[in-house]
Amino acid sequence: MTTEKEEKVHHVFEKISSDYDRMNSVISFKLHVHWRNETMELMRMKKGASVLDVCCGTADWTILSAREVGPSGKVTGLDFSSNMLQVGEAKVADLGLQNIELMQGNAMELPFADNSFDYVTIGFGLRNVPDYLTVLKEMYRVLKPGGQAVCLDTSQPNIPVWRPFFNTYFRYVMPLFGKIFAKSYDEYSWLQESTRHFPGMGKLSDLFYQAGFSYVRYISHSGGASATHFGYKKVAEDEI
């Protein structure tokens, strides 16, 4: 099952990479930009920090983080789709950012030592991995004690009147947009399924705790269309 989902996700993102950024803006009515900016404000990244952006895709969040931590900081973006990374590399080159490294890798087995990063982020990627908890545990493992992990992703609406509209939109309208604007009906049909089956805010918060994180909190965006979860790796008492 794990391999089957990994292969499916890999095929989807290799296929839609050239249209991914444009389709994100179409599907979310550009709200994804607002959600990410709001998340960044709440994170308060420190200058000179080290950051890992898991499932970085075309590197939008990677680039925001690189600007935030400044030239003395370092941001690594990891994704398993080479086509998505190529789009991201072109953006980074155009912007002339020297503090970014993009690399291919698997979120289920992060190729980094324990306690490597001050911040670990994952944006609109957790819902597409084979096992949510495994990825969260990997994020926890590579995070430094006292570091912060942040997940921004779609969620389940918490306003009753909004929920049926949201479900209808993602189930029927999103794949139609994929067909019209990107000639990719099947791929966007699959992506809406991953959105529908993704845990709600409370359940995802529980998974953060199961992965080992402390002081977990979350905020809802646009009536629950998406949510940001924040978790910290507690500093051991003998390190205080």
Side-chain angles (χ1 to χ4, degrees):
M1 180 65 182
T2 295
T3 304
E4 182 181 339
K5 184 171 183 180
E6 283 179 333
E7 290 175 352
K8 179 66 177 177
V9 172
H10 185 263
H11 165 76
V12 166
F13 285 100
E14 290 285 273
K15 171 81 184 297
I16 67 174
S17 57
S18 59
D19 296 299
Y20 182 77
D21 289 338
R22 181 167 60 94
M23 287 303 299
N24 267 359
S25 294
V26 170
I27 289 167
S28 74
F29 305 100
K30 292 192 174 180
L31 283 171
H32 70 101
V33 176
H34 170 72
W35 300 334
R36 192 161 42 233
N37 288 339
E38 185 176 2
T39 297
M40 285 294 289
E41 287 180 14
L42 293 170
M43 287 182 69
R44 297 178 181 175
M45 281 187 173
K46 296 178 181 177
K47 299 295 181 185
S50 57
V51 184
L52 171 64
D53 188 16
V54 181
C55 300
C56 68
T58 60
D60 280 349
W61 203 350
T62 313
I63 289 167
L64 275 182
S65 297
R67 286 170 167 163
E68 196 68 22
V69 300
S72 60
K74 174 70 183 295
V75 183
T76 303
L78 177 139
D79 201 277
F80 72 164
S81 168
S82 58
N83 287 352
M84 295 285 278
L85 287 170
Q86 283 177 17
V87 176
E89 285 165 356
K91 289 183 189 175
V92 172
D94 286 344
L95 294 167
L97 293 169
Q98 302 297 316
N99 59 342
I100 289 178
E101 178 185 5
L102 298 182
M103 62 183 293
Q104 195 166 9
N106 192 337
M108 300 275 287
E109 297 179 53
L110 295 175
F112 307 105
D114 298 356
N115 310 322
S116 294
F117 300 95
D118 298 304
Y119 301 91
V120 181
T121 62
I122 182 166
F124 303 105
L126 189 61
R127 71 183 189 274
N128 294 317
V129 303
D131 189 289
Y132 311 134
L133 184 56
T134 295
V135 171
L136 289 174
K137 284 181 176 179
E138 278 292 276
M139 291 170 64
Y140 181 86
R141 179 182 66 78
V142 302
L143 191 65
K144 292 178 183 178
Q148 181 180 195
V150 183
C151 171
L152 169 60
D153 217 314
T154 54
S155 191
Q156 306 300 327
N158 44 19
I159 300 175
V161 206
W162 168 227
R163 191 177 296 122
F165 173 80
F166 175 88
N167 290 335
T168 300
Y169 174 77
F170 270 92
R171 190 164 190 173
Y172 300 107
V173 180
M174 189 174 90
L176 185 61
F177 280 175
K179 180 178 182 180
I180 294 170
F181 296 106
K183 305 295 187 291
S184 301
Y185 179 87
D186 290 342
E187 286 74 20
Y188 280 92
S189 181
W190 187 86
L191 286 173
Q192 66 82 19
E193 287 181 25
S194 70
T195 298
R196 280 195 299 129
H197 297 302
F198 195 57
M201 288 167 251
K203 288 183 179 179
L204 186 54
S205 179
D206 290 341
L207 287 177
F208 262 74
Y209 279 116
Q210 286 180 47
F213 292 103
S214 302
Y215 313 115
V216 178
R217 65 189 179 98
Y218 57 85
I219 60 167
S220 171
H221 305 284
S222 303
S226 74
T228 301
H229 285 69
F230 304 85
Y232 295 84
K233 187 169 185 174
K234 198 170 182 180
V235 179
E237 290 186 8
D238 56 0
E239 296 179 18
I240 298 175

